[in-house]
Amino acid sequence: MEITDLTPAETRVWRAYATGAHVDFRTADDEDAADGAGWGAGRSVRAAVLRALLLDGPRQDGEIPALDVAGARITGRLDLSYASVEDPVRLRHCHFEEPPRLYAGRLREVNLSESVLPGLVAHAARVDGALRLTRARCHGPVRLGGAEVSGSLYLESVRVDAPDETVPALQLNQAVLGADLWAPGLRVRGEARLTGIRVTGTVNLAEAVLDHAGGSALYAETLTADADVLLRRAQLRGRCELRGARIAGRLDLSHALLSNPGGIALRASSSEIGELWLRQGPVVKGSLNLRRTRLDVLFVEPEVLPDEVYVNDLTYTSLLPHEPAARRLPMLERGPDPYLPFTYEQLTAAYRRIGDEDAARRVQLAKQRRHRRTLPWYARLWGYLQDATVGYGFRPLRAGIWLLSLLAVGSAVYRVHPPPPLKPAEAPEFDPVFYTLDLLLPVISFGQEGAFAPLGWYRTLSYVLIVTGWILATTVIAGLTRTVSRG
């Protein structure tokens, strides 16, 4: 393209390129690029002119060329597919008539901040620096699948509104970022797809609004982040899919709204996460799936949990904040499975690591009661008996209370109505206390039981004491066995 073919606006851009000078067509700093369709020829630059500059623009010794334009209306399609562009591309506050196309291109730096675009096509692009779309507004899909950015991808306060429901509004699947995905305040209407993305730094989606009701608001299976994934105060209307994620730092959902009624609100199954924070927000609307996930720290407040929680094979080292067992146990009983012993063992271990043995025993008792519901009726009867007598061995003082009560009853009855001796000449002196102990204790003998034989109702009472003693002894032994096996 010859310089003589250029309009005055294009000539201005062309001459500034060699020195990297900034060209600003705006008439005021607060201009809205959404009004760019009405900008006249004095602010219009053909995309073909920009392409020619970037591929073979003028050079000046001692200067660093750059395309640095603000407030222009870019007509036609800026197509840099497969191109190698060594100079920075800064097209801020601009209005694009067609989606820029950077497919498989290699670029030094791209800055489209505060511009208005009908979309962006940058699959497999490579940017040897930062890619900035800060406060940009996109009325079509932003496609960055498979892109490689050696620096950070800046999407803070970006708005993406893709009316076509058949494709994701924001596509970052398989992208590789050498620093951060910095997107606080991101607004996406449609699916945000981050499947397989690899981020060396932090994924910051704080205060983001991702709206795809009935579908996936954030689809980020096998996401890998070497630092944190921040969704503080984010609003996700639709499923948040993080299955298979690898997050070395913190997945922070503090103050976040997770809403997918009738479906899965958050699925982070089969993942490895340093810390998961789910706190100080509204109740999750939809189910929570953490199956087969490994966590160092699970920071979850009971009041934000939904009615359905899937925690089969979930492992964690610490559970915060410290809550009584009664507030934690419902989390283990909100899944579809009737009895998952591993979940109770995990909670028990968490309490024991902080020295709360009372809470640990309560969890173990709840485990036995939950297991009892899965047994046949005759086994449930035996379970009820163990529960009532010694709390399945986790409340051994109950056995002492029962024994003392029965000892008092038996001693009082046999003191008033002592049984006759079998052999009066050989019988020892009758003692109602030790006689009752002989009946209650199945192993120890004080020589009283075999020497006296009660009659009538008092014989029936002796049988009751013998049977009760055996039951108490059996349940205590069963409880001690569980205690020893836990140790």
Side-chain angles (χ1 to χ4, degrees), residues 63-182:
E63 299 290 344
I64 300 174
L67 179 61
D68 192 350
V69 179
R73 179 166 66 98
I74 311 300
T75 61
R77 183 186 296 277
L78 178 58
D79 192 345
L80 297 173
S81 299
Y82 305 103
S84 293
V85 178
E86 298 296 329
D87 306 323
V89 179
R90 305 186 187 107
L91 297 170
R92 294 169 292 178
H93 304 277
C94 292
H95 184 96
F96 289 80
E97 287 189 347
E98 298 186 39
R101 186 173 179 83
L102 311 179
Y103 180 81
R106 179 167 183 173
L107 304 101
R108 176 63 57 84
E109 176 194 349
V110 179
N111 189 340
L112 303 176
S113 297
E114 298 176 286
S115 294
V116 174
L117 309 94
L120 174 64
V121 179
H123 293 300
R126 179 173 177 179
V127 180
D128 296 327
L131 174 55
R132 298 177 183 271
L133 286 91
T134 302
R135 292 182 293 280
R137 282 164 287 174
C138 302
H139 302 294
V142 175
R143 302 177 178 181
L144 291 164
E148 295 184 30
V149 181
S150 63
S152 295
L153 172 59
Y154 293 93
L155 299 175
E156 65 266 41
S157 300
V158 168
R159 295 187 178 183
V160 183
D161 189 353
D164 186 357
E165 291 282 340
T166 62
V167 297
L170 175 62
Q171 301 178 31
L172 286 171
N173 41 298
Q174 311 304 325
V176 178
L177 307 183
D180 301 322
L181 170 55
W182 203 255

Side-chain angles (χ1 to χ4, degrees), residues 430-441:
F430 178 76
D431 188 310
V433 175
F434 285 96
Y435 179 74
T436 306
L437 282 174
D438 256 351
L439 297 174
L440 286 172
L441 301 179

Side-chain angles (χ1 to χ4, degrees), residues 1-8 10-16 46 49 53 58:
M1 178 176 292
E2 297 292 337
I3 189 71
T4 55
D5 296 330
L6 303 180
T7 66
E10 293 168 348
T11 300
R12 185 179 170 188
V13 174
W14 192 281
R15 289 175 178 173
R46 286 171 291 172
V49 174
L53 271 175

Side-chain angles (χ1 to χ4, degrees), residues 25-55:
F25 291 103
R26 293 177 297 166
T27 58
D29 290 341
D30 60 352
E31 262 191 354
D32 190 348
D35 300 328
W39 295 342
R43 298 178 60 172
S44 297
V45 179
R46 286 171 291 172
V49 174
L50 302 182
R51 184 177 188 274
L53 271 175
L54 292 169
L55 296 182

Side-chain angles (χ1 to χ4, degrees), residues 173-449:
N173 41 298
Q174 311 304 325
V176 178
L177 307 183
D180 301 322
L181 170 55
W182 203 255
L186 173 68
R187 303 286 192 274
V188 178
R189 190 165 70 90
E191 180 182 306
R193 179 168 293 183
L194 279 67
T195 305
I197 189 173
R198 289 180 288 163
V199 182
T200 301
T202 295
V203 177
N204 187 349
L205 292 167
E207 300 183 354
V209 177
L210 309 179
D211 192 349
H212 193 210
S216 295
L218 177 61
Y219 197 90
E221 282 191 347
T222 65
L223 172 149
T224 300
D226 292 345
D228 300 325
V229 175
L230 306 178
L231 283 155
R232 295 175 63 91
R233 294 185 172 85
Q235 298 179 35
L236 280 70
R237 295 181 178 88
R239 185 169 67 252
C240 180
E241 182 65 73
L242 289 167
R243 182 171 53 184
R246 300 293 181 267
I247 301 172
R250 182 172 77 250
L251 172 57
D252 192 347
L253 290 157
S254 302
H255 308 277
L257 169 68
L258 301 175
S259 178
N260 190 30
I264 297 174
L266 171 63
R267 175 158 52 193
S269 57
S270 303
S271 298
E272 294 183 11
I273 303 172
E275 301 181 14
L276 171 57
W277 289 21
L278 188 59
R279 64 192 187 98
Q280 297 183 358
V283 177
V284 175
K285 296 179 181 178
S287 62
L288 174 63
N289 188 339
L290 299 176
R291 285 172 171 165
R292 301 177 301 278
T293 290
R294 291 190 291 174
L295 303 166
D296 291 330
V297 176
L298 177 58
F299 197 140
V300 58
E301 295 177 343
E303 52 267 20
V304 306
L305 293 175
D307 293 333
E308 287 190 1
V309 181
Y310 303 85
V311 291
N312 190 16
D313 292 327
L314 168 67
T315 61
Y316 48 87
T317 302
S318 299
L319 180 60
L320 300 173
H322 180 60
E323 296 276 1
R327 282 175 52 79
R328 290 297 185 190
L329 285 168
M331 178 178 71
L332 311 185
E333 301 176 356
R334 293 181 177 178
D337 301 302
Y339 175 56
L340 296 173
F342 178 77
T343 60
Y344 290 89
E345 295 302 325
Q346 277 289 294
L347 185 55
T348 299
Y351 278 123
R352 284 187 174 141
R353 274 190 287 268
I354 60 175
D356 194 342
E357 285 295 331
D358 181 65
R361 286 192 294 270
R362 290 177 182 273
V363 174
Q364 285 295 303
L365 179 56
K367 172 188 171 184
Q368 295 299 326
R369 289 171 174 170
R370 183 71 183 270
H371 179 230
R372 185 173 65 206
R373 300 181 215 166
T374 67
L375 300 176
W377 67 269
Y378 51 85
R380 289 200 301 272
L381 289 177
W382 175 241
Y384 282 120
L385 187 58
Q386 291 190 76
D387 194 357
T389 52
V390 292
Y392 284 98
F394 299 104
R395 294 178 178 175
L397 288 178
R398 282 187 180 180
I401 294 172
W402 278 102
L403 285 172
L404 289 175
S405 300
L406 293 172
L407 178 61
V409 171
S411 299
V413 169
Y414 290 119
R415 181 180 297 277
V416 176
H417 299 282
L422 291 174
K423 297 179 180 180
E426 300 177 7
E429 182 180 355
F430 178 76
D431 188 310
V433 175
F434 285 96
Y435 179 74
T436 306
L437 282 174
D438 256 351
L439 297 174
L440 286 172
L441 301 179
V443 177
I444 301 174
S445 176
F446 295 99
Q448 293 279 318
E449 180 185 1

